[in-house]
Amino acid sequence: MEKLIITAAISGAEVTKEMNPSVPYTIEEIAKEAKSAYDAGAAVIHLHVRWDDGTPTQDKGRFKEAFDAIKEACPDVIILPSTGGAIGMTAEERLQPIELKPEIASLDCGTCNFGDSIFVNTEDMIHTFAKKMKDLGVKPELECFEKGMIDNALKSYKKGLLEDPLHFNIVLGVNGAMAATIRDLVYMVGSLPKEATWCATGIGKSEFDIAAVAMVMGGHVRVGFEDNLYLEKGVLAKSNGVLVEKVVKLAGILKRDIATPEEARRILRLEKQK
Ligand code: KMH
Ligand code: ZN
């Protein structure tokens, strides 16, 4: 089986220090969390940034500061910024980190409930985001929270807005979209094109169940504070690194070797950013 790419979603936009004091806000905290995940075995850092008070932002300058600090701490790690941002941000706001030409970035493939809010990703937005990423040579990671989002991605592909090989992140357990169950993961993965690569993300207490099943199925995995703040029931994770360590232990049991960032670039067919 292919080596396992571990993505660490270190910061998110919705989790706060009130929920877990280790959630990073400042650039220094973000770099420290990225390094903890990288040292534990993460090849990819999925990145949201905040102002120092914790307010989520998609500000290009703030992303640049975070990129520089992460690259200094872990020079070869793959940085995958969010274009999802936080609920309520405009498309223009959300697209800012793409101008920094990262190797890869998230592209959310449909609208869904998000708790009591709505995470808006209209067809026009998906096409606009995909076109901008294509024009700037940024590979999209296609975030799909339910099956219709895979169909939306495939429609964009047919229009020529996305290029082979497609890479998906199946995100299960968002409050308002598809549940984090094994049945739903198997269904989602069975709906992907054969040649696509994929990662799975389980939100909340299902994080490690989904990771384990994804590993057995030959997929890649994402863990981190954005998705889950606990190492186990009632025990807050002290860092993103300990969440990655837990996945690495599982991977050992399930006989999946861990991909380095360079190996992840080969698997995902990324051009190394200059
Ligand atoms: N913060 C969520 C509303 C992404 O990064 O592309 C959206 C999100 C998805 O986190
Ligand atoms: Zn995100």
Side-chain angles (χ1 to χ4, degrees):
M1 227 180 248
E2 193 65 271
K3 286 195 176 181
L4 175 73
I5 303 172
I6 302 174
T7 297
I10 61 169
S11 43
E14 285 79 25
V15 290
T16 65
K17 283 190 190 293
E18 284 70 41
M19 299 170 179
N20 181 332
S22 299
V23 170
Y25 293 168
T26 68
I27 298 298
E28 292 68 28
E29 288 168 346
I30 281 177
K32 183 167 165 255
E33 279 307 309
K35 179 142 173 60
S36 81
Y38 169 78
D39 287 346
V44 180
I45 302 295
H46 171 56
L47 187 66
H48 290 252
V49 296
R50 317 285 187 100
W51 297 117
D52 284 353
D53 67 359
T55 310
T57 177
Q58 290 289 103
D59 182 77
K60 184 176 157 185
R62 189 70 168 178
F63 263 101
K64 173 83 170 72
E65 279 184 76
F67 277 29
D68 290 346
I70 292 172
K71 280 184 192 159
E72 197 173 327
C74 12
D76 60 339
V77 82
I78 298 167
I79 305 175
L80 187 165
S82 172
T83 67
I87 296 289
M89 288 179 172
T90 65
E92 293 69 32
E93 236 177 324
R94 284 168 49 182
L95 271 168
Q96 291 178 77
I98 298 309
E99 287 157 25
L100 299 169
K101 298 191 187 167
E103 296 169 271
I104 184 167
S106 68
L107 197 177
D108 295 281
C109 293
T111 297
C112 63
N113 281 2
F114 206 90
D116 259 343
S117 309
I118 304 172
F119 183 34
V120 178
N121 296 285
T122 63
E123 186 170 65
D124 181 54
M125 283 170 74
I126 298 166
H127 292 175
T128 304
F129 281 41
K131 182 165 185 324
K132 180 142 187 178
M133 290 191 200
K134 190 176 175 195
D135 290 349
L136 293 177
V138 179
K139 177 160 180 153
E141 181 183 73
L142 303 163
E143 314 292 321
C144 294
F145 300 10
E146 47 91 354
K147 164 67 165 58
M149 297 193 191
I150 296 178
D151 300 332
N152 291 339
L154 297 180
K155 271 196 263 172
S156 304
Y157 174 75
K158 281 201 184 116
K159 280 187 177 298
L161 295 164
L162 300 173
E163 290 172 336
D164 283 318
L166 299 177
H167 177 62
F168 290 83
N169 180 21
I170 307 299
V171 184
L172 298 178
V174 165
N175 180 12
M178 222 157 153
T181 68
I182 295 171
R183 182 192 65 167
D184 291 329
L185 178 61
V186 170
Y187 173 58
M188 291 288 273
V189 173
S191 306
L192 300 177
K194 291 263 173 306
E195 50 298 332
T197 52
W198 62 274
C199 165
T201 300
I203 305 293
K205 63 179 167 41
S206 303
E207 177 162 84
F208 293 102
D209 298 346
I210 292 295
V213 178
M215 281 190 243
V216 172
M217 290 175 73
H220 305 286
V221 305
R222 179 175 113 176
V223 293
F225 286 163
E226 176 166 345
D227 309 319
N228 163 48
L229 297 164
Y230 290 85
L231 187 57
E232 54 192 76
K233 194 168 180 208
V235 180
L236 283 172
K238 287 205 161 51
S239 66
N240 280 276
V242 298
L243 296 171
V244 174
E245 270 169 25
K246 187 165 171 178
V247 164
V248 169
K249 270 191 209 142
L250 265 176
I253 295 165
L254 298 171
K255 306 256 177 297
R256 288 287 301 272
D257 293 335
I258 309 300
T260 63
E262 276 319 305
E263 289 165 339
R265 283 188 176 89
R266 180 187 53 74
I267 295 165
L268 298 174
R269 309 233 211 117
L270 298 175
E271 296 299 325
K272 191 165 183 187
Q273 204 187 337
K274 298 280 162 349

